[in-house]
């Protein structure tokens, strides 16, 4: 049974996720709804935005393994893929990838790929699998469970 905070009743998972998203996208924390990157004209980010960064040398290897590529930003050292907020839930992104809630990008990052349509997202699961492949990491769900 769901209840209001302080009412003695527990909050449901949907409410907790909504509260987490609301808190992360509030102007007070600097995230500003779609991160600190310029959302290309005509695009919307209804699921919020986070970013996955990888060293620039891996960028072309990852792109070639993806069925759909959303907005990708780059500078001389890194490439950033825009993914829906909370794409890190239940996933540990493989090193040297870095997951950034709120999609904070440096001012030197420039848009290098804009997808067709109005959504800026690269689907996170194919991105995760592609990153595992290029880094030689084992996807988290295939690791044996410890007793």
């Amino acid at each position: 049974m769901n209840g209001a905070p302080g009412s003695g009743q527990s909050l449901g998972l949907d409410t907790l996720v909504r509260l987490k998203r609301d808190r992360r996208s509030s102007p007070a924390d600097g995230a500003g709804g779609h991160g600190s990157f310029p959302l290309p004209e005509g695009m919307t980010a209804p699921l919020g935005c986070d970013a996955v960064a990888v060293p620039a040398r891996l960028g072309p290897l990852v792109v070639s393994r993806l069925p759909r590529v959303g907005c990708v930003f780059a500078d001389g050292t890194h490439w950033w893929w825009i993914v829906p907020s909370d794409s890190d839930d239940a996933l540990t992104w493989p090193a040297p990838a870095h997951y950034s809630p709120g999609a904070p990008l440096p001012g030197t990052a420039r848009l290098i790929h804009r997808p067709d349509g109005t959504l800026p997202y690269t689907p996170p699961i194919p991105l995760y699998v592609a990153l595992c492949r290029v880094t030689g990491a084992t996807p988290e769900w295939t690791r044996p469970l410890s007793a």
Side-chain angles (χ1 to χ4, degrees), residues 3 5 11 23-24 28 54 61 67 71 89 93 123 133 135 138 144 146-147:
L11 297 175
R23 188 191 59 165
R24 283 176 56 180
V54 300
L61 300 172
C71 286
D89 283 353
W93 291 81
R133 284 197 166 167
T135 62
T138 302
S146 59

Side-chain angles (χ1 to χ4, degrees), residues 66 68-72 81-82 111 113-115 119-123:
L66 293 172
R68 181 189 185 283
V69 179
C71 286
V72 180
W81 278 264
I82 303 304
L111 183 67
H113 183 268
R114 183 190 198 278
L119 298 176
Y121 307 121
T122 294

Side-chain angles (χ1 to χ4, degrees), residues 3-89:
S7 69
Q9 297 176 341
S10 64
L11 297 175
L13 183 58
D14 290 340
T15 302
L16 292 173
V17 169
R18 182 183 47 77
L19 289 172
K20 180 180 177 185
R21 283 190 178 142
D22 288 349
R23 188 191 59 165
R24 283 176 56 180
S25 65
S26 72
D29 70 6
H34 66 265
S36 58
F37 67 95
L39 195 62
E41 189 171 329
M43 298 199 110
T44 62
L47 302 176
C49 290
D50 290 347
V52 178
V54 300
R57 65 183 165 75
L58 298 178
L61 300 172
V62 173
V63 165
S64 67
R65 289 174 162 77
L66 293 172
R68 181 189 185 283
V69 179
C71 286
V72 180
F73 291 81
D75 65 10
T77 60
H78 290 89
W79 285 29
W80 291 267
W81 278 264
I82 303 304
V83 295
S85 291
D86 300 322
S87 293
D88 61 333
D89 283 353

